[in-house]
């Protein structure tokens, strides 16, 4: 049920599940395949109403098979989850088999859909997936051509091998060819499988080039945006990023924990050892905080709030979570403090509550941090 909720829910920027590799892409492809099937259903209904004139048994067979395939796909994707490494291959396989079924039953009506797996593979950054989609598309072109010839909506050109214009095939309104192709196997390959495969190869090359260019542009834009949100010295998010995140709408009753750090004796280090040592002290403390946050699968976010102040925000965090983070941070600091020639420590405080009171929680964590600093001074 949780997987189905993710597949159909609105994508949220602050939910860590959507930050995992290929998750958003898998959800997008899943929804695109659902839309495809809805359109297929609409066309099927029109055919049943005689709006179209495709053989009803052929159309119904293909439609039922595609429904079964869609159900199998949904079940498998629900089992493995959209964040599994094989989920994207499931998406390509489902798209490919849908193409195979529809193009086998409707043949020349569906020639263009043979490129669907290649288009979908362009959503992902994986070269292996793109190549897999290309090979699968060539396989679909070959198989659907032969299956369509014998069992689908038969193309008269394939039956009679007419590869020229109508004016060369009729005289005084009489069709000149009346003999069925005696060697369809070779004909289908030479006049249909081979040229369509060449078209697919060209489409694959162009699609890859366009996708690569778009992806580079997006990666550059993302890198610029990320760099603007990062603090160069510490590698943590900066205060502007914090303020931006706090402005984004959150579930007001959702739990949140905040941890607040402030570097101890920074002025003493600056005056005694120089500002370069002071900057290293700030960076060293920030590094330990970043390391502790990284061990939480990126659920917690860390920010440089001021010159020597740091904040960690833990979504769905409780008091136990905050204390666990602080305990791990203290243990991480112990060997560093023993080996350091300059005093290296930070005062820390925490507070918990609801997202609706996030600013109040930050202030409370700040107050507790100063209480800890007074104890340190004493």
């Amino acid at each position: 049920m949780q997987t189905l909720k993710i597949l159909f829910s609105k994508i949220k920027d602050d939910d860590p599940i959507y930050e995992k590799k290929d998750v958003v892409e898998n959800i997008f492809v899943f929804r695109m395949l659902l839309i495809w099937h809805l359109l297929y259903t609409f066309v099927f209904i029109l055919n049943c109403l005689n709006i179209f004139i495709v053989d009803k048994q052929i159309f119904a067979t293909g439609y039922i098979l595609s429904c079964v395939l869609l159900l199998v796909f949904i079940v498998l994707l629900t089992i493995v989850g959209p964040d599994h490494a094989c989920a994207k291959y499931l998406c390509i396989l489902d798209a490919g088999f849908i193409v195979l079924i529809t193009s086998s039953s409707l043949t020349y009506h569906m020639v263009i859909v043979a490129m669907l797996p290649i288009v979908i593979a362009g959503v992902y950054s994986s070269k292996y997936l793109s190549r897999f989609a290309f090979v699968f598309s060539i396989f679909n072109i070959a198989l659907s051509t032969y299956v369509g010839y014998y069992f689908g909506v038969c193309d008269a050109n394939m039956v009679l091998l007419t590869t020229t214009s109508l004016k060369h095939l009729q005289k005084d309104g009489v069709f000149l060819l009346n003999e069925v192709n005696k060697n369809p196997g070779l004909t289908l390959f030479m006049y249909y499988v081979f040229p369509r495969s060449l078209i697919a190869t060209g489409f694959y090359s162009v699609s890859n080039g366009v996708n690569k260019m778009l992806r580079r542009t997006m990666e550059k834009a993302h890198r610029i945006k990320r760099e603007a949100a990062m603090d160069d010295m510490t590698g943590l998010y900066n205060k502007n990023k914090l303020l931006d995140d706090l402005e984004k709408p959150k579930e007001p009753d959702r739990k949140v924990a905040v941890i607040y750090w402030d570097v101890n004796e920074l002025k003493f280090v600056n005056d005694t050892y120089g500002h370069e040592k002071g900057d290293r002290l700030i960076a060293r403390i920030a590094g330990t905080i970043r390391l502790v946050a990284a061990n939480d699968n990126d659920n917690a976010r860390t920010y440089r709030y001021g010159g020597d102040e740091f904040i960690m925000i833990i979504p769905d965090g409780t008091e136990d979570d905050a204390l666990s983070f602080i305990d791990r941070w203290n243990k991480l600091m112990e060997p560093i403090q023993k080996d350091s020639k300059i005093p290296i420590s930070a005062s820390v405080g925490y507070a918990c509550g609801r997202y609706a009171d996030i600013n109040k929680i930050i202030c409370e964590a700040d107050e507790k941090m100063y209480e800890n600093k007074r104890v340190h001074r004493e």
Side-chain angles (χ1 to χ4, degrees):
M1 291 302 293
Q2 181 64 25
T3 300
L4 288 176
K5 183 179 179 182
I6 293 172
L7 291 172
F8 288 99
S9 299
K10 181 180 179 181
I11 296 174
K12 299 178 181 178
D13 292 336
D14 61 330
D15 195 325
I17 185 67
Y18 298 114
E19 295 182 2
K20 293 183 178 180
K21 186 178 181 182
D22 294 330
V23 168
V24 174
E25 288 83 353
N26 291 333
I27 294 172
F28 170 77
V29 172
F30 169 77
R31 294 175 183 178
M32 187 169 67
L33 292 174
L34 283 184
I35 293 172
W36 166 271
H37 201 272
L38 287 174
L39 290 174
Y40 196 7
T41 302
F42 177 66
V43 175
F44 173 69
I45 293 172
L46 292 180
N47 195 68
C48 291
L49 296 174
N50 295 319
I51 303 297
F52 296 141
I53 57 172
V54 175
D55 183 285
K56 288 184 173 59
Q57 183 176 354
I58 293 175
F59 208 134
T61 301
Y63 179 72
I64 292 170
L65 285 174
S66 70
C67 288
V68 173
L69 177 67
L70 181 67
L71 289 174
V72 172
F73 169 60
I74 292 174
V75 170
L76 290 176
L77 191 59
T78 303
I79 293 173
V80 302
D83 56 339
H84 197 279
C86 73
K88 57 187 177 185
Y89 286 94
L90 275 177
C91 292
I92 294 296
L93 283 172
D94 182 67
F97 281 122
I98 285 178
V99 167
L100 179 61
I101 291 170
T102 54
S103 56
S104 292
S105 59
L106 305 179
T107 56
Y108 55 90
H109 291 297
M110 306 299 293
V111 169
I112 195 170
V113 301
M115 307 303 154
L116 184 63
I118 296 175
V119 174
I120 290 177
V123 174
Y124 302 92
S125 59
S126 172
K127 292 182 180 179
Y128 295 106
L129 186 68
S130 181
R131 292 167 186 166
F132 173 75
F134 169 66
V135 173
F136 196 20
S137 295
I138 299 297
F139 169 78
N140 280 343
I141 288 172
L143 187 59
S144 63
T145 298
Y146 285 95
V147 174
Y149 177 81
Y150 290 103
F151 303 104
V153 179
C154 192
D155 188 338
N157 284 333
M158 292 194 289
V159 177
L160 303 172
L161 184 53
T162 59
T163 57
T164 184
S165 61
L166 181 61
K167 65 181 181 180
H168 296 127
L169 300 174
Q170 61 91 26
K171 183 178 181 181
D172 299 328
V174 178
F175 195 58
L176 300 179
L177 290 179
N178 56 13
E179 184 178 358
V180 175
N181 187 354
K182 296 179 179 179
N183 188 17
L186 180 60
T187 301
L188 291 174
F189 177 79
M190 290 302 300
Y191 287 91
Y192 292 89
V193 175
F194 183 62
R196 289 176 182 177
S197 296
L198 288 179
I199 293 172
T201 302
F203 186 89
Y204 168 75
S205 300
V206 172
S207 176
N208 265 2
V210 172
N211 289 331
K212 187 180 294 184
M213 182 183 67
L214 291 175
R215 188 165 289 112
R216 284 180 179 175
T217 302
M218 292 175 63
E219 287 174 353
K220 183 177 180 181
H222 180 73
R223 185 172 64 252
I224 292 173
K225 182 178 179 181
R226 181 176 176 81
E227 288 174 354
M230 301 300 292
D231 177 70
D232 292 336
M233 180 189 294
T234 62
L236 305 180
Y237 290 115
N238 56 32
K239 187 174 182 178
N240 288 336
K241 175 64 174 173
L242 173 63
L243 296 176
D244 182 58
D245 286 348
L246 293 181
E247 287 179 0
K248 291 178 181 177
K250 303 285 194 308
E251 299 173 24
D253 293 326
R254 187 180 180 185
K255 292 181 180 180
V256 63
V258 174
I259 306 177
Y260 202 119
W261 284 268
D262 185 275
V263 177
N264 293 325
E265 301 183 70
L266 178 61
K267 186 177 185 304
F268 169 77
V269 173
N270 282 334
D271 294 342
T272 307
Y273 301 98
H275 285 275
E276 184 180 348
K277 289 289 186 182
D279 290 344
R280 289 185 182 180
L281 172 61
I282 293 172
R284 194 73 183 274
I285 296 291
T288 59
I289 296 171
R290 188 174 67 248
L291 186 59
V292 171
N295 292 331
D296 190 48
N297 295 323
D298 298 326
N299 188 39
R301 284 197 168 186
T302 52
Y303 307 83
R304 186 183 183 186
Y305 191 55
D308 60 342
E309 297 175 329
F310 310 104
I311 282 181
M312 177 186 289
I313 294 182
I314 312 169
D316 301 313
T318 62
E319 183 175 359
D320 289 340
D321 293 326
L323 289 173
S324 176
F325 269 104
I326 294 172
D327 181 61
R328 279 181 281 162
W329 176 76
N330 283 326
K331 290 179 179 177
L332 192 63
M333 286 291 294
E334 286 177 2
I336 296 174
Q337 290 169 330
K338 290 179 181 179
D339 297 336
S340 178
K341 296 180 181 178
I342 62 174
I344 177 170
S345 66
S347 299
V348 60
Y350 71 92
C352 306
R354 304 179 310 141
Y355 261 111
D357 305 316
I358 186 66
N359 291 311
K360 182 180 177 182
I361 296 170
I362 291 174
C363 291
E364 186 179 342
D366 185 21
E367 291 173 2
K368 290 186 178 180
M369 180 274 295
Y370 274 108
E371 290 177 11
N372 183 252
K373 187 176 283 288
R374 282 194 292 271
V375 171
H376 176 81
R377 287 173 180 169
E378 292 174 359

